[in-house]
Amino acid sequence: MNFNSYTDGVVADTVALVNRLTEGESRGRPFAVPDVVAAGEAFLEDAGWGRRLTADQAAELAAVARELRAVFEAAAGGDLDAAAGRINRLLEESRARPRLERHDGQPWHVHFHGVGDTITAEWGASCATGLAVVLGGEFADRLGVCTAPHCDRVYVDTSRNGKRRFCSTACQNRVKTAAFRARAQTPQAPGA
């Protein structure tokens, strides 16, 4: 499942932003963001934006991540109206506007930037627009929150059949192992 190359990249970045900058649980363990500046800079580095952040910029980026998490949670819960309402609010706040860009040897493609030169305007606008494309299309049900116990990391289901339930193979394996162990501990009836 592909939206388009730019949207695919932005949606993947959105998942990474939410999972890196929001607290909760990950793969069976509590997940905290001990240093939001370092986490924000690591996210930007992975996204190809090697850039330093101030504490205020990192806090703004984390606030955007929390808003985006709420979109995933609403969509995963089947409340597309709430998810769309949050996206519309983020689009308005960031004042996202389309712009054709060409960089790094790539052909012209659409970028969405916010008005103003802030990290929130840049990433908030791009991430909100990417999720708007997903929610406004035939794949609105592909935004998810991991169903493994003690994990609340988000994902976008890009599988062919759209049946993904876990944020990672590690969580899927953890659930399968627990189910196997539970079956192995259940006493078998004689002759079974």
Side-chain angles (χ1 to χ4, degrees):
M1 178 198 79
N2 294 316
F3 304 106
N4 66 48
S5 61
Y6 177 68
T7 302
D8 289 348
V10 168
V11 171
D13 286 341
T14 303
V15 168
L17 175 66
V18 171
N19 287 339
R20 190 167 274 176
L21 289 174
T22 60
E23 310 230 337
E25 295 179 303
S26 178
R27 298 180 181 173
R29 295 183 177 93
F31 180 82
V33 182
D35 183 347
V36 72
V37 174
E41 288 176 350
F43 161 74
L44 292 175
E45 181 70 32
D46 290 348
W49 266 47
R51 182 172 163 182
R52 293 285 183 215
L53 293 175
T54 66
D56 289 343
Q57 289 171 324
E60 287 177 26
L61 194 58
V64 168
R66 286 188 297 276
E67 281 296 312
L68 293 166
R69 170 175 281 290
V71 172
F72 279 90
E73 290 170 347
D79 192 351
L80 295 182
D81 291 342
R86 286 185 174 279
I87 286 294
N88 283 336
R89 214 170 18 262
L90 280 166
L91 290 169
E92 188 169 323
E93 287 171 4
S94 67
R95 295 174 28 198
R97 61 183 178 9
R99 181 175 171 85
L100 285 171
E101 301 269 340
R102 183 172 59 185
H103 54 84
D104 302 325
Q106 297 179 8
W108 287 101
H109 55 280
V110 178
H111 274 241
F112 287 87
H113 298 288
V115 175
D117 189 26
T118 67
I119 196 78
T120 304
E122 290 296 319
W123 281 100
S126 291
C127 292
T129 302
L131 291 185
V133 169
V134 174
L135 286 173
E138 63 187 288
F139 300 114
D141 60 343
R142 299 293 186 105
L143 300 181
V145 177
C146 189
T147 61
H150 306 292
C151 188
D152 64 0
R153 302 297 88 187
V154 302
Y155 63 89
V156 176
D157 183 356
T158 58
S159 68
R160 189 174 290 234
N161 66 4
K163 301 293 183 191
R164 184 171 168 185
R165 296 182 8 223
F166 304 104
C167 68
S168 65
T169 305
C171 276
Q172 181 179 11
N173 290 342
R174 197 165 48 85
V175 169
K176 284 182 176 183
T177 300
F180 173 78
R181 287 180 179 155
R183 284 190 308 274
Q185 290 179 354
T186 303
Q188 300 262 339

